[in-house]
Amino acid sequence: METKIVQSLLLVLVVLSIGLVSWLFREKNEEAVFKKLKLFPRWFKFLGLVIVICAVSLPWIFQSLLVDGGNHLGSIYIILGLFLICFSRDKIEDEMSNTIRLKSFYRSFGAGVVGFFFLTYIENIVSDDFNQLHADTLLAVILGFYLVSYYVTKSKIRSAE
Amino acid sequence: MQNRLKIERAIKNLTQDELAKLIGVSRQTINSIEKGRYVPSTILALKISKIFEKSVNEIFELEDSD
């Protein structure tokens, strides 16, 4: 029964992610790459925040959502929440904020590669077995670094006025 | 790239916020352009020139380092 619930929730994630990404990338013509970034509406940011909060807390309330005694399902749903926060519009979205977004994606991808090597190294110092970094940790590092980079750059611009 | 945005804005008696609303960008973007930190796209430069009824070359000017 518990496995069925977990499997259903994972299937929901697969369908949702396909739908969301298809909506983002639906323009098929080659010139779309030169246009402004397509982003989710602003309220998706709040939806993402709610998903993150629920993913952290709900499995501890409804214990049937725990897998092997850990909140593994929650850590996967956190990625969905972060994804929605990262890919939704700000109040004013213009070409400069688009440039900051692209720079932040560029930086966060680089940070993800370094984070992958670094955290795998730490994991292998702490543990006796050889362990590679889990995909959810890596994605959380990339999305988290993107958010930090984007908002720090924007606040620096604001404070430099 | 140098620009005369601040001067043109003063001539037209427009605040950064008013100009930003007229061309559909944030006030921070106008501020960054004025300070030379951000180089606008051709579309944005043309929108600015339309507001000030001047050619793009009269508002934006290339520097030797460009």
Side-chain angles (χ1 to χ4, degrees):
Chain A
M1 176 65 184
E2 287 172 11
T3 322
K4 285 254 184 215
I5 295 171
V6 173
Q7 280 176 357
S8 310
L9 286 170
L10 288 174
L11 183 66
V12 167
L13 261 183
V14 173
V15 175
L16 255 179
S17 62
I18 292 172
L20 288 168
V21 173
S22 308
W23 186 83
L24 279 180
F25 304 154
R26 72 179 162 181
E27 278 194 72
K28 288 189 178 65
N29 92 49
E30 285 296 311
E31 283 146 31
V33 78
F34 302 119
K35 290 183 185 167
K36 278 212 285 188
L37 291 173
K38 194 170 170 60
L39 298 164
F40 297 126
R42 192 164 172 240
W43 62 270
F44 270 53
K45 217 178 272 296
F46 303 104
L47 179 69
L49 198 62
V50 171
I51 291 174
V52 170
I53 293 166
C54 290
V56 172
S57 57
L58 280 188
W60 300 107
I61 299 165
F62 305 103
Q63 305 252 320
S64 60
L65 296 174
L66 293 177
V67 183
D68 298 331
N71 188 10
H72 301 296
L73 190 65
S75 66
I76 294 169
Y77 263 84
I78 287 172
I79 303 298
L80 174 70
L82 286 175
F83 172 68
L84 294 183
I85 296 170
C86 290
F87 284 75
S88 50
R89 293 168 58 89
D90 267 351
K91 196 173 177 185
I92 300 173
E93 198 70 38
D94 60 13
E95 60 174 58
M96 191 174 77
S97 60
N98 255 237
T99 309
I100 301 170
R101 277 185 193 282
L102 290 172
K103 269 274 159 63
S104 302
F105 277 123
Y106 173 77
R107 285 178 187 156
S108 65
F109 196 82
V113 173
V114 175
F116 173 69
F117 296 143
F118 181 72
L119 293 173
T120 306
Y121 169 70
I122 297 291
E123 182 82 24
N124 282 284
I125 287 177
V126 178
S127 159
D128 293 332
D129 304 319
F130 185 83
N131 293 311
Q132 272 186 311
L133 195 68
H134 290 287
D136 57 346
T137 314
L138 180 62
L139 280 172
V141 168
I142 292 175
L143 293 172
F145 194 90
Y146 162 77
L147 281 177
V148 171
S149 172
Y150 178 68
Y151 287 108
V152 165
T153 309
K154 279 196 98 172
S155 76
K156 270 185 188 168
I157 288 169
R158 227 170 291 148
S159 61
E161 282 179 21
Chain B
M1 192 167 74
Q2 282 183 329
N3 69 76
R4 288 172 40 87
L5 199 55
K6 198 171 180 177
I7 299 161
E8 296 298 338
R9 202 165 49 73
I11 293 168
K12 279 254 176 190
N13 205 16
L14 281 172
T15 63
Q16 286 185 343
D17 198 39
E18 286 165 342
L19 177 61
K21 279 180 184 146
L22 282 172
I23 55 176
V25 296
S26 67
R27 194 178 51 78
Q28 283 80 21
T29 303
I30 299 297
N31 187 270
S32 296
I33 296 171
E34 281 186 5
K35 292 198 170 165
R37 283 193 308 250
Y38 178 68
V39 178
S41 68
T42 316
I43 292 175
L44 192 51
L46 285 167
K47 279 183 184 175
I48 291 168
S49 75
K50 198 174 175 185
I51 296 287
F52 296 120
E53 295 158 326
K54 289 191 172 171
S55 72
V56 174
N57 278 334
E58 285 175 90
I59 302 168
F60 298 97
E61 195 183 332
L62 282 173
E63 285 176 302
D64 292 338
S65 57
D66 290 322

